[in-house]
Each structure stands twice: as structure tokens, then as C-alpha cells.
Amino acid sequence: MDDDDYDDGVYPVFEGIDFGRIHTLFRSLSLFDDMYLNMQGMNIALIDQFITECEYALLQEYIDIEKTPLDTAMFVSAQSQMWIFALYELLRTWRSRINKLIKWKENGGIAQVLKNIEKDRLNLAAHFRKSHLEKLRDDPAFVDALQSDSKLLDGVFSMTAAIRINLAKHEIQGKDNSIPRAPGYGRINPWYGALNFEIEHKDNSFEYINRRDIAEALRKIEIPNRES
């Protein structure tokens, strides 16, 4: 891409965004052959495109009327926060499953867990869990893939967790009895319209993170190639 294809030299303009990449990333990760996890990954990718369109529309309206369009800004803020919460829950659920699988592998619990799951023969979700346990039992490389994939998304998960605590819990991550300044209040980013939320850290430093930061961080992750 040329420099003109980027809003601020960092993020691509709307026409240059590969909106399919987030779902492609999720589908490449361990455990996302589970239809229900995959559905949630697809939802994250689909809504990302919708909200990105809303963010650019918000910025254009802000420029046109030369003041904050409150109704539009509140709508974009609500959509952005719900997307962040949904992504956090998907990543938390996925990472939790990985941790459990590795724990069962280490303590020899696979056989017992399989025995319990096999009792629920009409449950399609249980079928996917069973297939992962069998792969864990039979494929020595599967543990390495689980650990590698989890590590691959460590940065995005940390970013999402930090902003989620501010938005949902009105707290500062790692700081007990903390009261962050203006939790949930966002300002319009002048390049691409996403709402910048202030994130305070336990060392009293702070930074601004917006939903687009997280989406682009996902798109920049190198997709694992399991065939090599």
C-alpha cells in the first residue's frame, strides 16, 4: 500500500481494510474447529466492519457540524463497548479451555474427562470437546500448538482485558479500590472516528486505547500455518 492508503500512517483507510482477516485468524487457531467458538469469532469479524463504518460516519458528521454529534457518538460508544466485551469473553473462554486441556494432559485426567463427556452423546458441543481431548491424547504436537496459539494472542488479550476493566468494572487493572477517571467516556479519534478511552495503569501512568486499535492488532497477527 502507498502512504495515501493509511489514515495516520499506521492504520489503513476503510477501503484498504481486510475485514475477512479477523475471522480467518480465528479459524486458523487451535480449538476453533468447534462450530460454536467459530460462530463467535465470525460475529466479532462481522460486527467489526459495521462498527468501523459507524466510526468513519461519526468522524464525518463531527467535521461537518463542527461539534460532537451526541446521539451518534453515544451509539458508536455503545457498539464499541459491546464489541470489546464480546471479544474479551471469547478470548477468555478460549484461553480457559486451553489451560484446562493442558492441565488434564499434565495430571493424567484425559481418560476420566473423556468418560464423562461420552455420556452426553446427543450434545454437539460435547462432540467438539471430545475431539479436542482425543487429539490431545493422540497427538504430541497438539500441546505445543495450544501453547503457541495462546501466546500469539497474549498482547491482544492483555489490551482487551485492560480496557474491559475500565469500561465494565470502573476499576484500574491490578490496583485495588481504585477509581479511574471518567470510565467509559470516549473522545473521537481525529483520524478514523473510533472513540479513544483513557486507560489508567496501577503505576499512575495512562494511555488511550480505542476499539480500532484492538481490531487492527488482531489483523496484524501472523496466521499460523499448520501445514509447515
Side-chain angles (χ1 to χ4, degrees), residues 26-143:
F26 283 131
R27 290 180 62 185
S28 73
L29 298 172
S30 303
L31 308 189
F32 272 89
D33 55 339
D34 180 323
M35 181 177 70
Y36 300 110
L37 276 183
N38 181 57
M39 285 169 55
Q40 294 306 109
M42 180 175 62
N43 290 344
I44 294 294
L46 287 172
I47 300 304
D48 168 54
Q49 180 168 354
F50 168 72
I51 300 176
T52 303
E53 292 174 348
C54 292
E55 290 165 347
Y56 278 113
L58 169 62
L59 177 59
Q60 188 60 55
E61 186 176 358
Y62 176 63
I63 293 170
D64 290 343
I65 68 175
E66 299 182 345
K67 64 178 182 179
T68 300
L70 292 178
D71 288 346
T72 307
M74 287 190 292
F75 178 77
V76 173
S77 178
Q79 293 292 323
S80 300
Q81 293 186 46
M82 294 305 105
W83 186 89
I84 290 167
F85 297 158
L87 175 62
Y88 171 81
E89 289 301 328
L90 173 60
L91 294 179
R92 183 194 62 79
T93 298
W94 174 67
R95 289 163 63 92
S96 176
R97 287 195 195 176
I98 288 176
N99 291 336
K100 286 179 181 178
L101 286 169
I102 293 173
K103 180 180 178 181
W104 290 329
K105 177 71 171 180
E106 292 174 343
N107 65 18
I110 295 176
Q112 183 59 52
V113 179
L114 270 173
K115 183 178 179 180
N116 294 338
I117 287 180
E118 287 171 350
K119 298 175 183 176
D120 200 358
R121 296 182 181 276
L122 299 180
N123 185 338
L124 182 57
H127 164 76
F128 293 117
R129 306 288 185 93
K130 178 175 178 286
S131 70
H132 294 151
L133 283 160
E134 290 173 339
K135 188 171 184 179
L136 187 68
R137 179 193 63 196
D138 302 333
D139 183 0
F142 191 45
V143 170

Side-chain angles (χ1 to χ4, degrees), residues 11 55 80-81 83-84 155-164 166-167 173 184-187 189 192 194-201 206-215 217:
Y11 292 154
E55 290 165 347
S80 300
Q81 293 186 46
W83 186 89
I84 290 167
V156 168
F157 181 72
S158 295
M159 184 189 306
T160 307
I163 192 171
R164 173 252 178 193
N166 176 280
L167 296 175
Q173 189 175 35
Y185 173 73
R187 300 188 65 117
N189 183 284
Y192 39 84
L195 292 176
N196 290 334
F197 298 106
E198 182 180 291
I199 305 299
E200 190 173 348
H201 300 293
F206 68 91
E207 63 179 319
Y208 291 97
I209 300 178
N210 59 60
R211 188 206 66 82
R212 178 78 181 272
D213 289 327
I214 301 172

Side-chain angles (χ1 to χ4, degrees), residues 141-153:
F142 191 45
V143 170
D144 291 337
L146 291 171
Q147 293 174 328
S148 176
D149 287 354
S150 181
K151 185 176 181 180
L152 197 63
L153 269 70

